[in-house]
Amino acid sequence: MGLVLENVRFKYGQGKCVLDSVSFEAQEGELVSVVGRTGSGKTTLGLVMAGLFAPTEGRVAIKERSAPAGLDVVMVFQFPESQFFEETVFLEVAYGPICLGLGAREVRERVEASLQKLGLDAKDFSERSPLTLSEGERRRVAIASALSCEPRFLILDEPTVSLDWEAAAHIFDVLRELKSGGVSVVVMTHDVEDTVFHSDRVAVLEGGKILDLGKPAGGIVNEIYGIFSPPRRSSPKVSPKSQKKKWAGP
């Protein structure tokens, strides 16, 4: 089973094409990183994959099914506060399970388990407002909200931004645990080290197009570093007439 994109193009209104003929499959039980600079189309690609935006052209589907359904696909936004709307952390994390029609006991169990996975004690955080938390805590609550839905496909937009090394490593530990359970994880990122170290496959996105897709080794790693390395400046040409003559001594 996989989340498949076929020749996907996307425009905002009548503007230029943000995604151009994007095709790839996020397979069951793997972690795929989509790496690219700011403005390359990563966030838009995530929104299209999650079914939040319909492609202008092309097709997005769960393999062997006609379209994503229910909460099979869940996305965690780059800025967690943009997806919060409940008054407490408990209600925020419980929203997905409640929408799935689960009973109160199972909802509570999912909330507590999801918070625990992200290193947040339900006793300490359940009744707090998400908007009063630190940036790192808000990000972890947002991810917990996704985990409580037990999605088969999890898309995360820059999940480790503003996190210290230890917190970022913990999130990737959680993502690896999810993929070992069969979840397909797609991470939109510009963090080269995380991309190379944690991913099963990497898609290099530039100008709305996938330039390369494969294992994070060899040529594709060089291509990633090439995208993020500043261009070399050529040495300024100096006119021979402007060059000072070397002093030859007395």
Side-chain angles (χ1 to χ4, degrees):
M1 181 175 292
L3 184 60
V4 181
L5 287 78
E6 297 178 350
N7 297 315
V8 168
R9 291 169 57 91
F10 183 84
K11 291 182 180 180
Y12 288 99
Q14 299 300 315
K16 68 176 184 179
C17 194
V18 180
L19 298 176
D20 189 1
S21 301
V22 173
S23 296
F24 82 97
E25 178 180 342
Q27 299 170 355
E28 182 178 354
E30 73 167 351
L31 195 158
V32 180
S33 287
V34 179
V35 60
R37 289 181 289 195
T38 300
S40 61
K42 300 189 302 295
T43 297
T44 301
L45 177 58
L47 292 167
V48 170
M49 291 180 71
L52 298 173
F53 286 173
T56 306
E57 296 179 20
R59 177 173 173 264
V60 180
I62 294 177
K63 197 172 184 179
E64 300 175 357
R65 297 175 62 175
S66 59
L71 294 178
D72 284 339
V73 186
V74 176
M75 182 174 180
V76 178
F77 298 157
Q78 179 177 354
F79 302 105
E81 57 274 14
S82 67
Q83 70 183 74
F84 292 154
F85 59 91
E86 291 288 1
E87 294 182 357
T88 67
V89 168
F90 181 89
L91 291 175
E92 190 66 48
V93 180
Y95 181 78
I98 291 172
C99 288
L100 291 170
L102 302 182
R105 180 176 179 178
E106 188 171 358
V107 168
R108 179 168 294 279
E109 289 175 350
R110 285 201 184 190
V111 170
E112 292 177 354
S114 298
L115 289 173
Q116 190 66 40
K117 279 185 179 179
L118 274 301
L120 301 172
D121 191 327
K123 293 180 180 179
D124 296 331
F125 285 89
S126 288
E127 297 308 314
R128 295 176 63 180
S129 167
L131 300 180
T132 64
L133 305 179
S134 69
E135 186 169 357
E137 289 168 343
R138 290 198 301 268
R139 193 169 301 280
R140 285 185 283 169
V141 167
I143 296 174
S145 299
L147 298 189
S148 68
C149 299
E150 297 187 357
R152 288 185 293 168
F153 302 94
L154 177 61
I155 301 165
L156 305 101
D157 191 4
E158 303 285 6
T160 59
V161 167
S162 302
L163 298 184
D164 60 28
W165 179 88
E166 186 176 3
H170 180 70
I171 284 178
F172 273 102
D173 286 343
V174 173
L175 298 182
R176 281 198 297 269
E177 181 182 344
L178 289 173
K179 76 162 191 166
S180 68
V183 177
S184 175
V185 180
V186 181
V187 176
M188 310 295 173
T189 184
H190 66 268
D191 191 313
V192 176
E193 282 72 22
D194 282 345
T195 298
V196 172
F197 187 73
H198 295 288
S199 306
D200 296 309
R201 291 191 299 150
V202 178
V204 181
L205 190 67
E206 181 73 2
K209 295 183 178 181
I210 291 183
L211 302 184
D212 205 348
L213 175 64
K215 293 185 179 298
I220 197 168
V221 173
N222 294 332
E223 189 164 14
I224 292 170
Y225 277 97
I227 285 177
F228 288 96
S229 298
R232 294 183 178 180
R233 295 182 180 179
S234 57
S235 301
K237 293 182 179 180
V238 181
S239 169
K241 293 182 179 180
S242 66
Q243 294 180 354
K244 293 183 179 180
K245 293 183 179 180
K246 292 183 178 179
W247 184 58

